[in-house]
Amino acid sequence: MPGPVYDAAVVGGGLVGSAIALGLADAGLSVVLLDEGDTALRASRGNFGLVWVQGKGAAMPDYAVWTRRSSDLWPGFAARLADETGLDVSHQRPGGFHLCLSEAELEQRAATMRRLHNQAGPDGYDCQVLGRDELCRRLPGLGAAVVGGTYCPHDGCVNPLVLLQALQGAALARGVSYRAGLRARVILPTGGGFAVGTESDRLAVGKIVLTAGLGSRPLGAQVGLDVPVHPERGQILVTERAAPWLDHPTTFIRQTTQGTILLGDSHEDVGFDTGTTAAVAHDIAARAIRTFPALARLNVVRGWGALRVMTPDGCPIYDESERHPGAFAVACHSGVTLAAAHALALAPAIADGSLRQAFAPFSARRFHVQAH
Ligand SMILES: Cc1cc2nc3c(=O)[nH]c(=O)nc-3n(C[C@H](O)[C@H](O)[C@H](O)COP(=O)(O)OP(=O)(O)OC[C@H]3O[C@@H](n4cnc5c(N)ncnc54)[C@H](O)[C@@H]3O)c2cc1C
């Protein structure tokens, strides 16, 4: 018996899939959003919540431009989500700091910024390298271990859990059919479209967009898409609430609007293990206390591990299958930062068929270059 028919199926209901589903619905497509369920690996529920520009794109200039574009789209996007869902995602863009605890760290950071500045051309790259004295003027309570850092006025943060809820709420309000607890098992090209097989259903769709995070790799293989993502664990600690004190997010420490302080995060190659370890928690806490000694007075109340969706060069993969046009893959490790651009700029390109041309530098074909 034929199942439901949609213009597009988005497979994976994390931050990436929810933003894409919303954008496709904005473009007038009928959309079904499938999500595997609570036991799945979900980066979207375990991240640090930064909307972060500085330092990104040294390996790919287009990524630096794209990240900045998303940051610029964020204020309007957050206002729109609030209007449509009543949810405040607590977006703030006060500018962010990266703080260095040794001269070697600072030199390496400054070299990355020089590279980004040089590749940006006449437009420049809006990020400053700051010495300790200037940092102390801007960030009260800085520890003696901080030797310098970098500042970018376009950096900010959001509440990522409310963001996920708001993206899905806005998508539902646009008519997206959200199917929780439903895993896409088989995707078959049907000539002009695709059949998506789940445990209970067979859906007929015109386009299919793989946004299944680490689950996209095996699904992509069914429709001629290479999605070479791998897990990278990050651990995060959360302290008890404190009075408002840190006005700017930093790469490793930020205060939420509720007063808690997030400390993180690690970069670990441990396969699909989402656990936590005392050794990494110790390192995170020790660095945080060297950065802001007053943090030693706060209790840590929670900690978790989550898996990043990493590509080989850390930049996003946006692709359409050459063998089966209409099948797309979207994978990235900055799904909070890029949520605005995904909904407002990437999804329209998927809807109107211009992705392959407009986002060519982001194709996974960049990993297939032959060495001579
Ligand atoms: C510790 C940590 C800190 C981070 N900090 C930041 C940050 O500060 N800023 C930032 O921008 N990003 C950050 N990130 C990255 C960000 O969280 C991810 O880029 C983003 O969540 C990826 O979202 P996703 O939707 O691609 O993947 P996921 O959240 O993993 O979602 C994938 C979804 O696909 C579903 N799925 C899988 N297979 C199937 C299937 N076969 N059928 C149906 N559904 C399926 C799963 O159920 C899951 O819900 C961080 C990540 C981590 C781990």
Side-chain angles (χ1 to χ4, degrees):
M1 206 172 65
V5 177
Y6 298 91
D7 293 329
V10 179
V11 180
L15 286 169
V16 172
S18 302
I20 296 290
L22 173 59
L24 293 179
D26 280 345
L29 273 61
S30 62
V31 180
V32 60
L33 174 61
L34 302 178
D35 194 52
E36 184 177 6
D38 288 342
T39 54
L41 302 159
R42 282 182 166 145
S44 300
R45 292 172 189 229
N47 66 71
F48 207 64
L50 296 176
V51 175
W52 210 245
V53 174
Q54 64 167 289
K56 290 181 179 169
M60 189 202 273
D62 293 277
Y63 182 35
V65 173
W66 179 236
T67 300
R68 171 65 194 277
R69 185 170 169 197
S70 197
S71 165
D72 289 345
L73 288 169
W74 251 107
F77 189 55
R80 174 209 162 157
L81 290 175
D83 273 357
E84 292 180 11
T85 66
L87 293 168
D88 177 3
V89 299
S90 302
H91 175 253
Q92 298 171 313
R93 190 158 77 150
F97 291 88
H98 177 88
L99 302 173
C100 300
L101 302 194
S102 71
E103 292 296 343
E105 266 184 35
L106 183 58
E107 182 39 47
Q108 197 183 10
R109 186 73 179 170
T112 303
M113 292 307 151
R114 274 196 299 276
R115 188 165 169 195
L116 284 160
H117 196 274
N118 292 342
Q119 77 184 22
D123 294 342
Y125 187 73
D126 214 356
C127 184
Q128 302 159 265
V129 178
L130 302 175
R132 178 176 166 77
D133 291 347
E134 180 60 25
L135 282 177
C136 287
R137 267 193 288 281
R138 299 209 204 173
L139 293 173
L142 215 56
V146 179
V147 300
T150 52
Y151 171 78
C152 172
H154 309 293
D155 290 334
C157 52
V158 292
N159 181 325
L161 297 178
V162 179
L163 172 62
L164 184 58
Q165 199 186 349
L167 290 172
Q168 293 181 351
L172 287 178
R174 292 269 151 163
V176 170
S177 169
Y178 176 51
R179 308 281 299 274
L182 209 54
R183 176 164 172 252
R185 297 166 76 91
V186 182
I187 305 171
L188 290 172
T190 52
F194 301 87
V196 185
T198 70
E199 281 89 351
S200 59
D201 234 341
R202 187 180 161 100
L203 312 171
V205 301
K207 296 178 195 285
I208 182 137
V209 189
L210 304 180
T211 56
L214 294 166
S216 284
R217 190 173 198 147
L219 290 173
Q222 300 185 35
V223 285
L225 281 165
D226 181 29
V227 195
V229 287
H230 64 272
E232 183 194 83
R233 187 170 71 187
Q235 294 185 47
I236 293 177
L237 304 178
V238 188
T239 72
E240 61 187 314
R241 291 178 194 211
W245 141 80
L246 187 57
D247 295 335
H248 298 267
T250 77
T251 331
F252 305 119
I253 303 166
R254 80 173 180 92
Q255 186 165 31
T256 67
T257 45
Q258 291 79 29
T260 57
I261 305 190
L262 297 188
L263 313 174
D265 47 10
S266 57
H267 297 264
E268 303 165 68
D269 179 5
V270 291
F272 287 87
D273 179 356
T274 55
T276 54
T277 62
V280 170
H282 172 272
D283 290 350
I284 290 172
R287 184 176 177 104
I289 290 168
R290 290 180 73 209
T291 307
F292 290 107
L295 287 173
R297 291 199 291 270
L298 294 175
N299 290 308
V300 168
V301 294
R302 215 149 48 90
W304 66 80
L307 301 178
R308 292 187 189 82
V309 181
M310 287 303 293
T311 63
D313 60 2
C315 301
I317 292 174
Y318 304 140
D319 237 341
E320 180 174 8
S321 172
E322 285 181 54
R323 210 177 325 143
H324 301 293
F328 299 84
V330 179
C332 71
H333 89 291
S334 286
V336 180
T337 303
L338 295 174
H342 283 165
L344 303 177
L346 186 67
I350 292 173
D352 70 17
S354 64
L355 178 134
R356 204 179 297 176
Q357 206 182 348
F359 289 88
F362 293 95
S363 166
R365 285 187 291 279
R366 68 186 185 270
F367 305 121
H368 305 161
V369 175
Q370 298 283 321
H372 293 290

